[in-house]
Amino acid sequence: MKLSKAQYDEVARFITRLKPTRQCMRQLKERFPHQSQSTLLSIFSQEYQKLIKRTHARHHAPDTIEMYYSRYLHDIAMDPAAPVLLNLANEVDFSPALIARTILERFLQDQDGVMPTKPVLNSMLRDPSLIPDPVLANQVNQCIVNDCCNGPLVDCIKHSIGHEHEVLLREKLLENNLAFLDEDQLRMKGYDKTPDFILEVPVAVEGHVIHWIESKASFGDESSHRMYLQDQFWSYWNSTDIFCRQVNNYNKRNEGPAHKNLQSMRR
């Protein structure tokens, strides 16, 4: 879905008033009924990630961590059934999943006398039943379930959506009889950084010649475009330039267009 810069800015300004809970999506949809929920969620997630990066150091200062942990111990002693960590995250305007990670890390350090390893911490966040304290396990689970931007649940959802979009893109390419190579085939040819698909015969779309396609299951704002250009797209440009020269040499030798047996691609 395409948005004008003015439309995007309006959505981004409204997002600054919202907390990172699943309930915020209802407010977004009510305010922008003509935008799809997936578009709004993607924009919200990206804008909130920017906020997290700006404030991450402040929330992870040693004295702040001690204050959060003391607050957790006090409030949980008063009412173990209350959503203490979720309320704390909303109060300090930080990700519930990241608050849960911070408190869990501090709890394990208190229990064992040493900082927990990253694999141990990640395994407990993915499966809170592994946390030795059942009250804290419930608190962590509440944060993970209610955080729509961070945490292992969100990571799984993003991975599934990304895979689904790649499958749909492959189906569209096959439906339109476009010859292509996917990432696995390109890696077998020795390319280290590859887009999802390289078209063996380029196509024109809205006046632009398309050589390769990268599927991103997220909204393409200006900052994400800059990041992807730096981290991925320029290397794709170099790789596809080499690939295109190889195809052109093949064409000259064989006096015809390079082609691929699409039936073998379908197997």
Side-chain angles (χ1 to χ4, degrees):
M1 175 178 290
K2 290 184 179 180
L3 270 71
S4 68
K5 182 66 166 59
Q7 288 175 312
Y8 174 81
D9 289 341
E10 184 182 5
V11 174
R13 282 194 299 270
F14 184 78
I15 284 172
T16 59
R17 312 175 204 167
L18 304 178
K19 301 291 184 182
T21 63
R22 299 192 182 279
Q23 289 72 33
C24 73
M25 291 311 303
R26 186 182 304 111
Q27 296 173 264
L28 267 175
K29 191 61 181 173
E30 289 172 356
R31 177 65 180 79
F32 303 100
H34 300 299
Q35 305 297 342
S36 71
Q37 180 151 328
S38 60
T39 296
L40 293 173
L41 177 58
S42 185
I43 296 174
F44 178 84
S45 178
Q46 289 172 330
E47 289 298 311
Y48 195 71
Q49 292 298 338
K50 295 174 189 176
L51 173 64
I52 293 299
K53 290 178 181 178
R54 290 196 302 268
T55 61
H56 186 273
R58 173 162 56 87
H59 290 287
H60 284 79
D63 56 339
T64 303
I65 292 175
E66 290 303 317
M67 184 265 288
Y68 288 167
Y69 189 56
S70 297
R71 166 77 176 274
Y72 164 73
L73 293 176
H74 175 271
D75 290 359
I76 212 69
M78 298 291 292
D79 185 0
V84 173
L85 289 186
L86 194 58
N87 291 340
L88 176 61
N90 289 332
E91 180 182 320
V92 300
D93 196 18
F94 199 57
S95 158
L98 295 182
I99 284 286
R101 184 185 186 91
T102 299
I103 298 300
L104 175 60
E105 186 175 35
R106 182 63 182 80
F107 168 81
L108 293 174
Q109 182 185 2
D110 218 16
Q111 292 282 300
D112 304 330
V114 294
M115 290 291 287
T117 64
K118 192 173 182 179
V120 168
L121 196 59
N122 288 340
S123 66
M124 290 185 178
L125 290 169
R126 285 193 295 268
D127 182 4
S129 67
L130 298 175
I131 299 173
D133 183 340
V135 175
L136 179 56
N138 181 53
Q139 295 286 323
V140 169
N141 187 62
Q142 287 178 349
C143 288
I144 290 171
V145 169
N146 283 280
D147 195 323
C148 62
C149 297
N150 295 282
L153 178 59
V154 172
D155 291 341
C156 287
I157 293 172
K158 287 180 178 178
H159 179 76
S160 297
I161 292 174
H163 179 69
E164 178 186 2
H165 281 230
E166 288 183 22
V167 171
L168 291 173
L169 178 55
R170 174 186 287 272
E171 291 176 353
K172 290 293 183 183
L173 292 172
L174 292 173
E175 286 174 10
N176 288 277
N177 294 321
L178 297 175
F180 61 87
L181 296 175
D182 61 23
E183 286 181 292
D184 293 335
Q185 292 169 310
L186 290 167
R187 289 197 180 99
M188 289 177 64
K189 291 178 176 290
Y191 298 99
D192 53 350
K193 288 190 175 183
T194 66
D196 291 328
F197 301 97
I198 284 183
L199 302 181
E200 293 196 283
V201 179
V203 297
V205 178
E206 297 182 358
H208 300 281
V209 178
I210 307 300
H211 291 273
W212 51 266
I213 304 173
E214 174 75 10
S215 174
K216 295 294 183 187
S218 60
F219 186 84
D221 63 0
E222 290 179 337
S223 62
S224 64
H225 276 307
R226 284 195 296 269
M227 179 187 69
Y228 287 134
L229 274 170
Q230 181 67 32
D231 296 344
Q232 293 179 281
F233 295 162
W234 289 128
S235 63
Y236 296 170
W237 179 288
N238 294 331
S239 297
T240 53
D241 182 56
I242 295 171
F243 175 80
C244 289
R245 287 200 298 270
Q246 291 173 343
V247 170
N248 287 335
N249 290 336
Y250 176 90
N251 290 347
K252 291 174 183 177
R253 288 196 305 270
N254 293 275
E255 298 181 349
H259 65 278
K260 199 76 174 175
N261 185 345
L262 290 177
Q263 292 301 320
S264 66
M265 299 290 291
R266 292 189 174 94
R267 287 199 294 268

